Amino acid sequence: MSNAEVINIGIVGAGFIGEIHAAGYAHNPRARLAAVADIRPEKAGALAAQYGLKSYATLDEMLAAEKVDAVDVCLPSPFHREAVVQAAAAGKHILVEKPFAINLDDIDAMMAAVAAAGVRLMVAHVCRFMPEYMVVKSLVAAGKLGRPLFFGAWRESATPGWSWNNWLLDRNQSGGTIMDLQIHDIDISNWLLGTPASFSMHEIMAPGRPGPAHVVSNLVYDNGALAGLEAGHLMPASYPFTTGYRLVGEEGAVEFLSPREGEKQVLVYNGDGVTTLRGADLPPVLAGDPYAEELAHFVDCLLTGAPFRVSPAEARLAVATALKLRESANRGSGLVS
């Protein structure tokens, strides 16, 4: 594809994340939304009408009727495999939401289908496109903090109640809090530190609430670095979504605390000095929206042939890490109640 071309996108799944992706593509002149598919006609129709598109009940119908170059899969995790394999067989490039899947069999089937069809696939790990995480990655890559020793991250929210049929609260469909929420920080930790070699997870669940949990995970990496990750879906409804991280290196440290108000800032500590990065000091993202930035990256890589920031192998590693953490709890090194 030449740099003058536009990528035609078909979205399958018109729920919460499908709406976010549609809005993100609207900022990008190199992307053209072509159609929306969803088994719920009212959802597909409403999202399609917002952007002047046609809507379809199934991915099959959309692919038969519309000329699309890529399919954006915004379906619940259990349906990723079917949609990705179908899109690949039709010769379409694919963006699929995180997690890649909740088991490795589905992931391996998707990777095999993509390889056989000669198409490209990216998994939408959006944190890699957030300025605060782009900063810490660039500092580590440039050796500004010395050898990384420890990465700590946390991500807390009220119990999600917005998903279709509450599928996020069904651990058999979502993989639980570790796969839906902590997967973000697992991926970032692997992105910064490499391949984990040791796994330990503790999980607490509230009585009478079989879906959401509070999860604490510990990883030891091949290079000796440690990670401690906390994620919770048990906060009260009044509690605002909160996230942050701290990376400690041999020669410095960097910290991000999500603000309750005001702009984001990242603090970089070296020796006796501290540098505060905020606003214009942080890496720019399209329209100030990391989702728009992520989608623009996907489109640009399709047009130029450049590698994706998130490879399928890296997205697979995030899921494999979550599964090994969960297995460590099931073996008794963690606590499930």
Side-chain angles (χ1 to χ4, degrees):
M1 297 180 179
S2 73
N3 288 342
E5 292 184 37
V6 170
I7 298 294
N8 294 301
I9 309 286
I11 293 179
V12 56
F16 175 77
I17 199 66
E19 293 173 355
I20 289 176
H21 282 204
Y25 287 121
H27 292 292
N28 187 356
R30 303 178 82 187
R32 174 184 168 271
L33 277 176
V36 178
D38 196 297
I39 61 172
R40 300 164 296 174
E42 72 284 358
K43 295 291 289 186
L47 186 58
Q50 188 175 348
Y51 295 96
L53 312 175
K54 290 185 178 179
S55 63
Y56 299 89
T58 66
L59 177 58
D60 263 338
E61 292 179 12
M62 184 176 76
L63 291 175
E66 299 286 345
K67 181 183 182 301
V68 299
D69 304 302
V71 172
D72 185 334
V73 179
C74 296
L75 297 170
S77 302
F79 303 111
H80 287 181
R81 175 176 178 170
E82 180 181 0
V84 167
V85 170
Q86 186 177 350
K92 311 304 179 185
H93 303 296
I94 302 151
L95 181 75
V96 60
E97 254 305 315
K98 53 57 62 180
F100 201 164
I102 61 172
N103 64 74
L104 297 183
D105 287 344
D106 282 356
I107 290 176
D108 292 340
M110 288 186 275
M111 292 176 70
V114 165
V119 297
R120 302 186 65 190
L121 178 145
M122 184 177 116
V123 180
H125 277 285
V126 71
C127 286
R128 294 197 186 197
F129 299 88
M130 294 180 177
E132 58 269 29
Y133 297 98
M134 294 161 66
V135 163
V136 67
K137 175 63 175 178
S138 66
L139 290 169
V140 169
K144 299 291 187 181
L145 306 171
R147 183 173 70 90
L149 302 174
F150 174 79
F151 177 69
W154 51 95
R155 193 170 297 266
E156 318 285 352
S157 82
T159 302
W162 47 262
S163 60
W164 173 62
N165 285 346
N166 266 337
W167 72 269
L168 283 176
L169 301 185
D170 182 346
R171 294 160 69 88
N172 292 325
Q173 295 189 66
S174 70
T177 295
I178 190 171
M179 198 69 76
D180 174 60
L181 188 64
Q182 194 170 78
I183 195 78
H184 287 292
D185 293 317
I186 289 172
D187 176 64
I188 292 296
S189 187
N190 291 348
W191 194 37
L192 296 173
L193 302 180
T195 302
S198 176
F199 311 82
S200 175
M201 185 265 272
H202 294 254
E203 180 181 55
I204 299 296
M205 298 174 67
R209 299 172 65 186
H214 198 97
V215 179
V216 178
S217 296
N218 294 287
L219 298 165
V220 181
Y221 283 80
D222 286 339
N223 57 11
L226 306 180
L229 312 176
E230 179 183 356
H233 270 152
L234 294 180
M235 302 305 288
S238 57
Y239 189 87
F241 175 77
T242 301
T243 186
Y245 68 76
R246 183 179 299 111
L247 185 134
V248 181
E250 288 183 331
E251 299 172 14
V254 58
E255 183 177 68
F256 166 71
L257 308 173
S258 60
R260 288 288 192 265
E261 57 184 28
E263 63 183 359
K264 293 179 179 179
Q265 61 181 32
V266 175
L267 303 177
V268 183
Y269 299 87
N270 288 104
D272 294 331
V274 56
T275 302
T276 302
L277 305 175
R278 57 167 66 90
D281 302 320
L282 297 172
V285 296
L286 180 63
D289 177 6
Y291 289 98
E293 180 72 16
E294 171 187 59
L295 302 174
H297 172 82
F298 172 66
V299 167
D300 288 347
C301 289
L302 292 183
L303 290 169
T304 65
F308 294 132
R309 189 174 300 173
V310 187
S311 72
E314 289 173 313
R316 185 187 190 280
L317 178 62
V319 173
T321 302
L323 291 172
K324 287 181 179 179
L325 285 166
R326 195 165 64 191
E327 181 186 354
S328 78
N330 292 340
R331 286 201 307 265
S333 60
L335 172 64
V336 180
S337 61

